[in-house]
Amino acid sequence: MELTQRQKAIFQAIVEEFIRCAEPIGSKTLMKLLDFNVSSATIRNEMATLEKYGLIEKTHTSSGRVPSRKGYRYYAEHMMISELDESTKAALGTIFNERHMSLDEAVRKTSEILSDLTNLTSIVLGPDESTQTLQNVQLIPISSQSAVAIIVTNTGHIENKVFQFGTDVSSKDLKTCCELMNKELTGTPINKVVDRMEEIKPLMSANLVRSEVLFESFVTAFMRFAEEKVAVSGRSNMLAQPDFNSIEKLRQLMKVLEDGKLFQEWTDQEGNVAIQIGSRNELIQIGDVSVITTRVHYKQEEGQLMVVGPNRMQYSRVIALMDYMSDVLEDVFDDKGGQDDERRNE
């Protein structure tokens, strides 16, 4: 399918105006939008050709046309220009440069920013620690009732956790606990550490005065560490989209967004259409919903940024934001950039 320059201009005008107003686009409206002179009859003929190609379709309520699912894919692949203005880049860069963020904080903040700037729902997945193994544990006392635990994985990921014990724990207990855990748990997959701790619980009881306190603290820490880091923001933004005026459809969508497993099944179901946009973005069409995904690399790990909205989303801005945000995140958590986890948690 090869479009003429005039057909491309008409099709682009239909897509971008429909994204803006959510109303079917007719030939008279197009006459005002195009930057060249052409008759209404000629526009209608070209629209008929675009409809034959499956790029636009007629609605039941108007003589105007709207982009089809295929049309949105063609626009995203061949016609979209995704550029972010410099003022937005500067503002986003400042948010991350002024604070030393943990990975959890960065994931949550990125999700909030994406939903705010797109007026859609954003989902940010951090790396899944369940695929990593424990490399080392350090315990640093703060007071007689608190300590900092530094957990290091085989990929170099570092997680800091402050423990408030609620009772006195001796430095000797902390030292012995640290030595015992490094001896017994090093090389254990993060998602298996809690099970392994249950196995060495008698050993901890035999060697530690405050074994129960230390055991419960570490079990809680590792359970949280092994969970997939996910942040969802802007669910309510779907309420403002005219594309989701069906209460039942909106209820089902909200249910999917609340549950990570349901969301995965939803995006993987048969019948979805997925296309690659550039080297790192993917567009998944699920009925009248689109999901834009962008991969982010954290050292040796991988996460994902996702924006969920109607097929009638502003693709150029959404993808430009996601590209820039993924670059910022990779820069923040790149060892070569000189901002490693230890510095961020000082």
Side-chain angles (χ1 to χ4, degrees):
M1 177 179 57
E2 186 65 34
L3 301 185
T4 66
Q5 288 303 114
R6 185 165 67 189
Q7 288 167 350
K8 286 181 180 178
I10 291 172
F11 174 65
Q12 184 171 354
I14 291 172
V15 173
E16 294 178 356
E17 182 64 9
F18 183 68
I19 287 173
R20 187 192 69 82
C21 69
E23 295 290 340
I25 312 301
S27 57
K28 291 183 180 179
T29 299
L30 287 168
M31 288 180 69
K32 300 174 185 177
L33 294 174
L34 298 171
D35 57 5
F36 53 87
N37 292 324
V38 63
S39 69
S40 179
T42 299
I43 290 176
R44 286 195 296 272
N45 287 336
E46 296 289 31
M47 289 172 73
T49 301
L50 293 171
E51 190 172 359
K52 184 178 70 175
Y53 288 155
L55 298 178
I56 61 175
E57 55 194 18
K58 186 182 294 186
T59 67
H60 298 296
T61 57
S62 168
S63 59
R65 304 293 192 278
V66 301
S68 65
R69 293 177 67 197
K70 180 180 178 181
Y72 284 120
R73 296 196 300 273
Y74 183 89
Y75 174 79
E77 280 188 285
H78 303 289
M79 306 183 73
M80 178 188 68
I81 300 175
S82 57
E83 293 182 352
L84 202 59
D85 60 276
E86 292 302 319
S87 60
T88 302
K89 287 182 181 180
L92 293 176
T94 300
I95 291 171
F96 286 91
N97 289 336
E98 287 184 348
R99 296 180 57 197
H100 296 312
M101 291 187 178
S102 68
L103 184 54
D104 281 344
E105 290 174 317
V107 165
R108 185 171 59 255
K109 193 65 181 177
T110 300
S111 180
E112 292 171 357
I113 290 171
L114 279 174
S115 66
D116 286 345
L117 293 182
T118 61
N119 290 318
L120 299 171
T121 300
S122 71
I123 301 171
V124 180
L125 297 179
D128 184 0
E129 277 77 15
S130 64
T131 62
Q132 302 173 54
T133 60
L134 180 65
Q135 184 74 21
N136 182 260
V137 175
Q138 297 179 49
L139 273 172
I140 302 170
I142 299 174
S143 69
S144 61
Q145 295 192 7
S146 62
V148 176
I150 302 173
I151 302 168
V152 184
T153 74
N154 62 315
T155 64
H157 188 114
I158 300 174
E159 194 90 356
N160 291 357
K161 173 69 177 176
V162 177
F163 292 142
Q164 301 291 341
F165 300 120
T167 186
D168 288 348
V169 175
S170 69
S171 57
K172 181 182 177 182
D173 254 9
L174 293 179
K175 183 174 183 294
T176 303
C177 179
C178 190
E179 291 172 350
L180 192 155
M181 294 185 74
N182 283 319
K183 180 182 178 182
E184 299 293 334
L185 302 179
T186 295
T188 304
I190 294 296
N191 63 337
K192 301 293 184 183
V193 168
V194 173
D195 292 338
R196 181 70 183 123
M197 284 192 68
E198 289 287 352
E199 294 174 11
I200 67 169
K201 190 174 182 180
L203 193 60
M204 293 181 70
S205 298
N207 289 275
L208 304 172
V209 176
R210 298 293 188 184
S211 62
E212 283 294 331
V213 171
L214 288 165
F215 178 83
E216 292 298 331
S217 297
F218 271 101
V219 164
T220 302
F222 279 115
M223 286 178 66
R224 181 174 176 273
F225 192 15
E227 291 175 354
E228 187 176 47
K229 299 182 186 304
V230 59
V232 182
S233 300
R235 294 181 183 88
S236 61
N237 287 339
M238 291 301 189
L239 299 171
Q241 300 295 334
D243 315 73
F244 302 122
N245 52 14
S246 165
I247 298 299
E248 183 55 32
K249 184 188 298 183
L250 191 60
R251 185 182 293 114
Q252 291 174 358
L253 183 57
M254 291 299 103
K255 185 178 179 181
V256 166
L257 294 177
E258 292 285 346
D259 188 316
K261 289 184 179 179
L262 281 179
F263 182 82
Q264 193 66 49
E265 292 172 4
W266 183 62
T267 54
D268 288 344
Q269 66 184 322
E270 189 176 347
N272 293 349
V273 179
I275 62 168
Q276 196 71 25
I277 304 173
S279 60
R280 71 196 305 176
N281 303 302
E282 186 178 51
L283 164 63
I284 305 171
Q285 288 182 323
I286 310 165
D288 51 7
V289 177
S290 283
V291 181
I292 301 289
T293 73
T294 299
R295 299 194 178 280
V296 185
H297 293 92
Y298 311 86
K299 299 178 183 176
Q300 301 175 48
E301 307 159 69
E302 185 177 86
Q304 277 187 301
L305 310 185
M306 290 179 273
V307 169
V308 182
N311 288 331
R312 186 192 55 83
M313 71 165 67
Q314 194 176 356
Y315 293 97
S316 57
R317 180 165 175 77
V318 170
I319 290 175
L321 279 166
M322 293 176 74
D323 274 342
Y324 188 74
M325 292 300 294
S326 58
D327 286 341
V328 169
L329 278 175
E330 288 180 352
D331 183 60
V332 168
F333 292 98
D334 184 357
D335 281 337
K336 295 177 182 178
Q339 291 186 336
D340 60 22
D341 292 284
E342 289 158 321
R343 282 184 54 193
R344 286 193 301 276
N345 289 286
E346 286 177 355

